[in-house]
Amino acid sequence: VRWGELLSAGFLATSLGGGLRLAAPVLVSSLGGAVSERAGVLNLSLEGTMYLGGLTSFLTVAAGGSWPLGLLVGFATGAVLGVVHGLFSIRLRCDQVVTGVALTIFGEGAAQYFHILRYGDGSGAPRIDPLPRWRVPLLARIPTFGDAVFDQQVLVYLGLVLAVATHVLLFRTNWGLRVRAAGDAPDALGAVGHRVGWLRLQALVLGTGLAGVGGAFLIVGETRSFDTGVVAGRGWLAVGIVILAGWRPLWCIPASFLFGFVDAAQLRLQLVEVPVSPEFLLMLPVAAVLVSLVVRRRRVAVPLALGRPYEP
Amino acid sequence: VTAGALAVDAGTRPWSRRRVLASTWFPSVVAVVIAAGATALLLSFEGVGFGEGVRVLWEFAGSDAFSRRQWIQRSIPLALIAIGLIFPFRAGIWNVGAEGQFLLGAAGAAAVATKVSLPGPSSLAGMAVVGTAAGGVWAWIAGRLRADHGINEVVVTLMLNLVAYQLFVWALRVPLRDPGSPVPQTASFDDDSVLPKLPWVDVHAGLLVLAVLAVVAAVVLARSRLGLQLRAVGHNAAAAEALALPVGRLAVRSMVISGSVAGLAGMLEASGVHERALLGMSPGFGFTAVVVMLLGQRTVVGCLLGAALFGFLVVGADGLQTEFGVAPDLVTAVQAIAVLAVLGVSTLVARGGGA
């Protein structure tokens, strides 16, 4: 073990910075999960939505579209999957778990199918250019940490902005209040004349759309190419992060950063010859979710009607 | 036609509209038709006619002894896992963690095969015991958390999948690694640890295990107290609790059954097909099995038929790629369309009062 390197500020700084970057796609998808679940719809389509949203945004950018357009296309793709999810889980009141799992299988299969349809076996697929970066004024001048943490590609900041925006939307607007009511007390909301199904659908479409953006973050911002199995369980992890964050968008930031930090650190720990298997490090965020399920189960505001179809 | 006329018809004509709609199998049949239609549509995008597509599927998955063996071998893990999943799903308990249970079963069996080296046939027995136990214990965790703490088993099994995957990768990379291999995988099993081939079909003996387990499961589900209790809990959990059925214990037991079977499927796949444990040995068997089980209407026969259909499609899809350059992932997307169709049609039928 090269202790000097391990304990240096540089190691911490690069892990922090890399952690922020790797956390961003999971963060945005978990925001989508939080919005859907706050409205009472368990959204297990995140993994598949990240695949399909990631693919469409990749195709957009690879065809010459700008990256914001790519993100929009990713959102639209997710929103379409959200409408399908809602058709089954809200309109037909089908089981939310089956609907979500089926959409995940569909999203992964369809994304890989269309990628091969477009580029053959993948050898002809382009690699898209890295996105622009932004240096945070002043903070980027901090020695060691400035360059590593406060000079990131734009999506990292956008992810944080989306987290704040989601928080404001859910907790500071009338719409957010009604959406939370649709997830906590749908019968009461329906009794005072609101259309519970319609509100749930709006939240579900927004949430699944965000998961599509999460996929776009991953493909357009991070991997810059679409490979088989590229999402690699990040969507499932986002489902767990929603729980770890207690369905609160702002708490999704530290919860997904835990994953990002571990992911960034495990790569670097191998470089300094620390005898810890990366697999065990990568288990930590998941273990945290499981522990939080057991420990906090009475103290966290689980949306009361989560998973229950609303029958007017 | 009035409702009264339909009611009269139902008693006399076996193919009356009402009879057909009320049949358990109606949604599955419609789903298969819809899925076939979706396949035809997607194939037409690439200029492949439906008949031509089916011909190639058959050519690669059923026309000769080799392809039929591929087909059967691919269907075995799907059928096994799906049959195991019937138990918790009948009781309304969601085990979406079969993927992880399968991988740990494979890793456990590989550990016995490469590190313990038991003599003669006891090696296979030891692998089966350890593989089954590994999958069972993994599912037991989720069952206990649900029974004792009321924690949603969907989330727990999903998270345990992620942990199991990392454990599996670690096991293949560090303790069980074949030092001569550039990629993480175990050494090739010795002859004692490889399942024998059945004489007349040239498929590994896992087929026999499947046949035995399918009969046992069908009998247990239909005739035993456990089967009845599971159905009672699934039908109305509150009533079951009021009748003093051990709801918690049933949850744990059904979870462990499904996890054990998934673990055993992992052992059979490692020993019978790959003769080692390797990364990517499960192309999503755990999730596909849920689809198979739902398409099979939570019955053993349905699971066997569904697994045979999906095994056929997956093996045949390689043919679509060779012949037309169509990505085999087409089949994955079609499987999802099938399960959504089952879901939708069942609901519509139930809503229409047909059932």
Side-chain angles (χ1 to χ4, degrees):
Chain A
V1 180
R2 305 212 289 267
W3 287 106
E5 243 174 276
L6 178 62
L7 297 173
S8 70
F11 180 85
L12 184 63
T14 48
S15 295
L16 282 173
L20 280 172
R21 203 186 76 233
L22 291 169
V26 181
L27 169 63
V28 178
S29 294
S30 68
L31 294 174
V35 173
S36 320
E37 294 189 18
R38 275 284 178 183
V41 184
L42 180 63
N43 196 342
L44 295 186
S45 72
L46 299 183
E47 175 91 0
T49 308
M50 286 182 78
Y51 272 103
L52 210 52
L55 177 76
T56 53
S57 63
F58 173 77
L59 293 178
T60 309
V61 177
S66 64
W67 63 265
L69 181 68
L71 295 191
L72 276 179
V73 171
F75 182 86
T77 309
V80 171
L81 286 178
V83 171
V84 177
H85 196 307
L87 175 69
F88 283 91
S89 64
I90 299 172
R91 184 83 180 78
L92 294 174
R93 300 197 284 277
C94 293
D95 188 277
Q96 296 175 0
V97 177
V98 185
T99 308
V101 169
L103 280 176
T104 282
I105 296 175
F106 175 79
E108 180 173 353
Q112 288 176 172
Y113 168 72
F114 284 117
H115 186 255
I116 295 178
L117 187 63
R118 176 73 181 78
Y119 295 114
D121 59 358
S123 50
R127 199 171 155 82
I128 54 187
D129 296 330
L131 298 188
R133 310 175 72 85
W134 185 60
R135 288 180 69 85
V136 184
L138 295 177
L139 289 176
R141 277 192 239 151
I142 301 172
T144 316
F145 284 86
D147 284 335
V149 182
F150 298 105
D151 178 15
Q152 301 266 11
Q153 47 126 316
V154 285
L155 293 187
V156 174
Y157 309 103
L158 184 58
L160 298 173
V161 170
L162 284 174
V164 175
T166 310
H167 170 80
V168 169
L169 194 62
L170 276 178
F171 293 97
R172 294 282 181 274
T173 67
N174 274 326
W175 183 81
L177 182 66
R178 287 199 299 273
V179 161
R180 284 182 291 131
D184 273 327
D187 298 326
L189 187 70
V192 295
H194 287 290
R195 292 159 69 197
V196 176
W198 177 233
L199 273 165
R200 282 186 166 188
L201 182 67
Q202 290 171 347
L204 184 60
V205 168
L206 175 65
T208 319
L210 279 173
V213 176
F217 267 49
L218 178 68
I219 310 292
V220 174
E222 182 62 32
T223 66
R224 292 168 25 225
S225 68
F226 187 94
D227 307 307
T228 307
V230 62
V231 179
R234 285 180 179 82
W236 296 123
L237 193 73
V239 173
I241 281 171
V242 175
I243 296 164
L244 193 58
W247 290 269
R248 290 165 295 188
L250 290 179
W251 283 87
C252 286
I253 299 173
S256 51
F257 176 71
L258 173 66
F259 161 75
F261 181 75
V262 166
D263 203 8
Q266 58 104 2
L267 295 171
R268 287 172 179 79
L269 284 177
Q270 290 170 62
L271 296 180
V272 294
E273 293 159 26
V274 174
V276 177
S277 291
E279 289 87 4
F280 289 101
L281 287 170
L282 290 171
M283 275 178 214
L284 286 176
V286 187
V289 174
L290 286 168
V291 169
S292 84
L293 273 169
V294 178
V295 174
R296 302 186 312 177
R297 83 201 117 87
R298 294 222 167 70
R299 274 175 285 149
V300 164
V302 186
L304 295 174
L306 180 60
R308 236 181 37 228
Y310 171 71
E311 316 225 6
Chain B
V1 185
T2 65
L6 274 177
V8 173
D9 278 347
T12 51
R13 288 213 313 265
W15 287 102
S16 73
R17 180 162 163 258
R18 193 171 203 195
R19 276 276 184 92
V20 170
L21 281 177
S23 144
T24 326
W25 296 99
F26 176 69
S28 297
V29 173
V30 175
V32 170
V33 172
I34 290 177
T39 313
L41 187 70
L42 287 168
L43 284 176
S44 72
F45 288 160
E46 307 192 35
V48 180
F50 187 62
E52 209 181 346
V54 171
R55 182 186 61 75
V56 168
L57 282 175
W58 174 254
E59 196 176 299
F60 278 76
S63 63
D64 58 16
F66 173 78
S67 52
R68 273 195 293 274
R69 188 179 77 193
Q70 299 290 102
W71 172 14
I72 296 173
Q73 287 196 347
R74 189 62 178 233
S75 308
I76 290 172
L78 286 177
L80 262 179
I81 301 173
I83 288 172
L85 288 174
I86 297 174
F87 287 82
F89 278 76
R90 280 230 178 142
I93 294 159
W94 294 86
N95 179 3
V96 279
E99 188 75 18
Q101 293 144 16
F102 175 93
L103 291 178
L104 290 186
V112 174
T114 57
K115 295 291 158 190
V116 187
S117 59
L118 296 164
S122 65
S123 179
L124 280 173
M127 288 164 69
V129 169
V130 172
T132 307
V137 166
W138 210 240
W140 174 82
I141 300 173
R144 280 315 286 264
L145 285 175
R146 171 173 166 127
D148 298 352
H149 302 282
I151 298 172
N152 186 325
E153 75 283 3
V154 173
V155 176
V156 174
T157 46
L158 283 174
M159 293 302 115
L160 287 178
N161 272 344
L162 299 178
V163 179
Y165 178 72
Q166 296 297 345
L167 273 176
F168 181 72
V169 175
W170 173 78
L172 262 51
R173 199 178 59 80
V174 185
L176 303 180
R177 171 123 189 204
D178 173 11
S181 157
V183 290
Q185 60 179 16
T186 69
S188 190
F189 296 169
D190 56 26
D191 288 347
D192 284 340
S193 308
V194 173
L195 283 170
K197 295 263 188 268
L198 295 177
W200 65 99
V201 277
D202 197 29
V203 171
H204 66 77
L207 184 61
L208 202 63
V209 177
L210 170 63
V212 173
L213 279 182
V215 173
V216 171
V219 172
V220 169
L221 284 167
R223 293 268 178 268
S224 77
R225 183 153 68 159
L226 175 69
L228 180 66
Q229 287 178 334
L230 288 175
R231 255 174 296 156
V233 172
H235 198 66
N236 188 337
E241 199 135 21
L243 289 167
L245 285 183
V247 176
R249 198 153 14 118
L250 284 169
V252 177
R253 205 175 288 173
S254 62
M255 265 293 186
V256 170
I257 290 173
S258 63
S260 306
V261 175
L264 180 62
M267 173 268 170
L268 295 173
E269 186 78 0
S271 168
V273 177
H274 304 293
E275 304 183 3
R276 56 156 50 100
L278 69 167
L279 289 182
M281 63 181 288
S282 170
F285 282 139
F287 289 110
T288 313
V290 175
V291 176
V292 167
M293 190 263 315
L294 292 170
L295 195 64
Q297 299 294 339
R298 302 174 201 213
T299 64
V300 172
V301 174
C303 286
L304 292 172
L305 289 173
L309 175 66
F310 281 14
F312 177 77
L313 286 175
V314 169
V315 172
D318 289 338
L320 291 181
Q321 184 162 37
T322 330
E323 292 274 308
F324 310 117
V326 174
D329 303 282
L330 168 81
V331 172
T332 317
V334 166
Q335 287 168 356
I337 293 173
V339 76
L340 285 175
V342 169
L343 204 59
V345 174
S346 321
T347 314
L348 287 175
V349 169
R351 190 82 55 81

